[in-house]
Amino acid sequence: QVQLVESGGGLVQAGGSLRLSCAASGRTCSSYAMGWFRQAPGKEREFVAAISYSGSITYYADSVKGRFTISRDNAKNRVYLQMNSLKPEDTAIYYCAASAPGYIVTMYYEYDYWGQGTQVTVSS
């Protein structure tokens, strides 16, 4: 069993930056691929970024390419999402998720564990 807790959300102005953190506990997450999803009110849950178990492979949604960076520190059981050049359309609840097979997947139903989410609000 893996517990995931997101932190680092908040209110920022457009063009600003935030770094989200996802802390894993219960078991090491070093063998899990990790992903970030987001969900805005009235919208479907949207894939944002994923990273393989080793951290050697990353994948991003087209909407965030060049602006967001996913990384992981397996020694600390943490995953990060560095978000730069934030836009109002990035406003959403951001969720950290873990996928047991260890390779990158992009659909929400392919993930085994989820955090409770952290709110990111980007003002104009």
Side-chain angles (χ1 to χ4, degrees), residues 32-50:
Y32 293 79
M34 303 296 296
W36 287 95
F37 289 76
R38 65 188 182 186
Q39 188 164 22
K43 303 291 185 179
E44 298 290 327
R45 193 179 313 185
E46 177 187 21
F47 170 78
V48 175

Side-chain angles (χ1 to χ4, degrees), residues 24-66:
S25 62
R27 297 182 183 272
T28 179
C29 64
S30 61
S31 296
Y32 293 79
M34 303 296 296
W36 287 95
F37 289 76
R38 65 188 182 186
Q39 188 164 22
K43 303 291 185 179
E44 298 290 327
R45 193 179 313 185
E46 177 187 21
F47 170 78
V48 175
I51 188 166
S52 63
Y53 73 94
S54 67
S56 62
I57 304 171
T58 58
Y59 185 75
Y60 299 91
D62 288 342
S63 59
V64 305
K65 284 181 180 177

Side-chain angles (χ1 to χ4, degrees), residues 60-76:
Y60 299 91
D62 288 342
S63 59
V64 305
K65 284 181 180 177
R67 299 189 298 121
F68 290 11
T69 302
I70 188 171
S71 61
R72 67 191 301 165
D73 185 342
N74 287 341
K76 297 180 179 179

Side-chain angles (χ1 to χ4, degrees), residues 5-13 16-23 36-38 68 78-83 86 90-96 116-123:
V5 180
E6 303 93 338
S7 62
L11 174 64
V12 298
Q13 293 183 329
S17 298
L18 283 174
R19 188 178 75 160
L20 305 183
S21 296
C22 176
W36 287 95
F37 289 76
R38 65 188 182 186
F68 290 11
R78 283 188 175 268
V79 181
Y80 306 97
L81 184 68
Q82 178 67 47
M83 305 185 296
L86 283 162
D90 295 319
T91 295
I93 299 174
Y94 283 71
Y95 298 92
C96 178
Q116 294 300 303
T118 186
Q119 178 70 48
V120 172
T121 302
V122 184
S123 62

